[in-house]
Amino acid sequence: MAGKALFNPIQVGSITLKNRIGMAALTRNRAENTYPTELMKEYYIQRAVGGAGLIISEAILITRQGTEWPHAPGLWDDKHIAGWKTIVDAVHESGSKIYAQLWHVGRVAHPDAPEQKLAGVPVYAPSAISARGGKFRHIPDAPGYVTPTEMEDPWVIVKQFKDAAINAKKAGFDGVQLHGANGYLITQFLDNTANKRTDQWGGSVENRCRFPLEVLKVLTEVFGPDVGVKISPAGGYNDVGMPLQDTLDTFSYFISEADKLNLAHFELVRYSKLFDYVYDGAHRSTKHDVLASYRPCIKNAKLFLNAEVTPEEGEELVAAGKVDAIFIGFNFITHPDLVKRVIHGKPLDNLPDIPHLQTNKSSTDWSAGYTDYPLAVYE
């Protein structure tokens, strides 16, 4: 066993987790027409039975959007609620807890994507500034990102987040996590390279933090203390990232203010070269020690660390009091019994089925690379 610290129960919001190894949100692109399926339920059951203390659902769209993942799930109608409820109930019956991760992609949707056309609205963002990169493989000629439409009234989107949280509550989720990482809408408001607004939603640090803080406030109106937020201050992915001092100033303020809202947890994503994309010959991330920089700002909520954290490192960090818990992402894809393996000293040795990480136009059996990873052999 990696150690004992990871297996001490922990109070997070109003619930108690049986251990401190959480499963991070992982987009797997297997919802049929945005609706959860029985196959998705099997996937989540496997990882709950495998010992995850807290599961964060794959990112769930709060409204219909034309993302790079045509089979990303949603949570805006009764059929979504019913589908997610079967998954949530099954996770609970399997001994784990589950949060819904609420997601708006902002400028990294595409107006020609089928789901965006169905939505009948433009691709909205804080400002009419395109991100570089992107590849919409399900659209002819696989185009990249385009210039979005600056949203007139961000309060409209704030309400959409609240509506999604109400639906998550109806589905029985234990909490919600705001997806504030990886260059999506929340990051776009925070980042002064994506947000050039001159009204109350842009300009100063306080104004750029206003939108994410207002979203967190309405989420807490629905879920009380069972709200978390995921942030990736180092940026990089989806063409975000600010100079170091701007980064430190922005995220220190945001975390400090958010921590006053009686949140359950922060998920801090530290710098990873996997997300340090190169645009026009330059690395996009702002490389810095995310844990050391922002840990002092968190005085109330629990802190989960993510990005290439191993169980062994997690044990050391939790035992030393540097973090409260860890989230593991990719290794939960390939090891449904990850926590059980850690307990029994089994290696994380399954090889990833890279061609089937996501579904694509040629996918037939959606269980391949999804629910077919082998369990370890236990005595």
Side-chain angles (χ1 to χ4, degrees):
M1 192 167 77
K4 295 182 178 179
L6 283 174
F7 296 96
N8 290 328
I10 182 173
Q11 183 84 13
V12 178
S14 71
I15 63 175
T16 300
L17 306 181
K18 62 186 177 183
N19 62 54
R20 299 174 184 232
I21 303 177
M23 173 176 152
L26 297 158
T27 294
R28 304 306 309 280
N29 201 33
R30 284 168 169 83
E32 295 179 3
N33 299 314
T34 75
Y35 293 104
T37 65
E38 285 295 305
L39 180 64
M40 288 169 60
K41 182 171 78 171
E42 179 186 352
Y43 167 82
Y44 283 104
I45 289 173
Q46 288 178 345
R47 282 140 189 87
V49 170
L54 174 63
I55 293 172
I56 307 294
S57 77
E58 62 207 274
I60 303 174
L61 294 166
I62 63 169
T63 59
R64 193 182 297 278
Q65 297 162 57
T67 75
E68 289 177 283
W69 298 275
H71 305 297
L75 190 51
W76 59 80
D77 66 25
D78 288 343
K79 185 176 177 181
H80 288 124
I81 294 169
W84 280 114
K85 189 174 189 308
T86 66
I87 292 174
V88 171
D89 289 348
V91 167
H92 288 159
E93 290 166 9
S94 302
S96 190
K97 306 291 187 182
I98 183 167
Y99 271 42
Q101 187 186 74
L102 303 183
W103 190 32
H104 193 299
V105 303
R107 67 180 182 173
V108 294
H110 199 286
D112 294 334
E115 290 295 322
Q116 195 70 43
K117 289 182 176 179
L118 278 173
V121 297
V123 172
Y124 287 120
S127 300
I129 301 171
S130 177
R132 292 169 291 180
K135 191 171 186 179
F136 292 82
R137 293 174 176 83
H138 60 295
I139 301 176
D141 301 321
Y145 300 137
V146 297
T147 302
T149 299
E150 179 175 313
M151 63 179 71
E152 289 186 18
D153 184 7
W155 287 112
V156 173
I157 311 297
V158 173
K159 183 181 184 301
Q160 291 173 355
F161 272 103
K162 184 173 184 177
D163 290 344
I166 291 170
N167 289 342
K169 191 81 168 178
K170 292 177 181 176
F173 281 100
D174 296 292
V176 289
Q177 184 192 69
L178 177 62
H179 194 344
N182 299 351
Y184 298 115
L185 183 64
I186 297 297
T187 316
Q188 291 161 30
F189 269 97
L190 290 168
D191 192 286
N192 61 18
T193 71
N195 180 355
K196 300 293 187 182
R197 299 178 74 99
T198 56
D199 59 7
Q200 65 172 331
W201 305 100
S204 67
V205 168
E206 292 80 5
N207 282 355
R208 284 184 283 110
C209 291
R210 188 181 310 278
F211 180 81
L213 289 171
E214 292 297 337
V215 172
L216 285 173
K217 288 174 186 176
V218 299
L219 299 185
T220 62
E221 289 175 11
V222 179
F223 270 94
D226 297 311
V227 175
V229 59
K230 178 179 183 177
I231 50 176
S232 52
Y237 189 71
N238 281 328
D239 197 13
V240 292
M242 298 176 283
L244 180 58
Q245 194 58 53
D246 288 347
T247 301
L248 293 169
D249 292 346
T250 299
F251 283 95
S252 294
Y253 176 82
F254 171 69
I255 294 169
S256 297
E257 291 300 305
D259 193 47
K260 298 174 184 176
L261 300 177
N262 192 31
L263 301 182
H265 74 267
F266 287 89
E267 178 181 346
L268 279 185
V269 181
R270 61 187 178 182
Y271 170 83
S272 169
K273 61 184 178 182
L274 297 176
F275 290 96
D276 193 355
Y277 280 58
V278 175
Y279 298 97
D280 300 326
H283 286 273
R284 192 67 177 86
S285 290
T286 304
K287 187 174 182 179
H288 64 297
D289 189 333
V290 166
L291 179 58
S293 298
Y294 308 109
R295 182 68 181 99
C297 301
I298 302 172
K299 304 182 187 306
N300 300 306
K302 297 298 192 297
L303 169 58
F304 286 70
L305 187 66
N306 190 359
E308 301 175 80
V309 183
T310 64
E312 293 76 17
E313 183 192 10
E315 174 66 27
E316 293 176 3
L317 289 168
V318 171
K322 294 182 178 179
V323 305
D324 296 298
I326 60 172
F327 277 122
I328 292 177
F330 196 83
N331 269 322
F332 257 116
I333 291 177
T334 50
H335 304 92
D337 57 339
L338 185 148
V339 176
K340 192 175 179 182
R341 286 178 185 243
V342 174
I343 292 171
H344 292 275
K346 301 288 185 179
L348 303 180
D349 57 358
N350 285 344
L351 298 177
D353 182 355
I354 298 296
H356 297 107
L357 283 179
Q358 309 289 343
T359 53
N360 54 55
K361 287 182 288 188
S362 62
S363 296
T364 52
D365 179 6
W366 283 14
S367 68
Y370 189 54
T371 55
D372 59 353
Y373 283 102
L375 306 179
V377 177
Y378 300 97
E379 300 301 328

